[in-house]
Each structure stands twice: as C-alpha cells, then as structure tokens.
Amino acid sequence: MTGAIVLNHAVIIKNIKLIRGTHRLFLKFPETADGRVVYPLSTDLYQYLLQQTIEYYNHYKSEYTNDSDF
C-alpha cells in the first residue's frame, strides 16, 4: 500500500509504502537514484510512524471491507 504521512499539519511525505516483509511490516520511504529523499533519524520516530500507519491502515480497511488484517 502506498500513501502519504502528514506531520503536525505542516509537512507531507508522499509515496511511503507499507510493506509486509518476511517477519514484519515496515515502511519504505521515497527515494531517488541517489538514495532516500526523506527518512526518520531515530528508531523511536520510525516506530511511532510505523505504529500510526498500521493503525490507520487497519481502521481504514475495516471501514471498507470485512477483513481487518493486513
């Protein structure tokens, strides 16, 4: 799933992907041929963004389908 994250109603990060890996879900941030354009510098921020994204995805999905698992 690809989407955008809005931070503090001030910054939008587009083209972030929520991906199911072999062992867990993770976020893939936008990148160019030179590397990632934007990414969290701390593990705490990354974990927070991941948790919020998964919660939002599950909430959104449960409103429009009967299956709420990713």
Side-chain angles (χ1 to χ4, degrees):
M1 172 181 190
T2 301
I5 291 179
V6 179
L7 301 173
N8 202 27
H9 301 285
V11 175
I12 298 173
I13 305 170
K14 293 184 175 184
N15 299 320
I16 293 178
K17 295 179 182 179
L18 180 61
I19 298 174
R20 178 182 289 282
T22 304
H23 302 288
R24 64 181 177 87
L25 296 172
F26 66 93
L27 293 174
K28 182 171 175 24
F29 287 84
E31 56 187 316
T32 65
D34 296 332
R36 290 182 290 176
V37 176
V38 62
Y39 53 91
L41 291 177
S42 74
T43 302
D44 289 341
L45 178 57
Y46 175 83
Q47 290 300 325
Y48 174 77
L49 293 174
L50 178 60
Q51 175 190 358
Q52 294 298 310
T53 302
I54 292 169
E55 286 179 17
Y56 180 80
Y57 174 80
N58 285 332
H59 176 75
Y60 175 81
K61 189 175 175 185
S62 70
E63 285 186 2
Y64 295 99
T65 66
N66 293 329
D67 179 22
S68 63
D69 293 333
F70 181 73

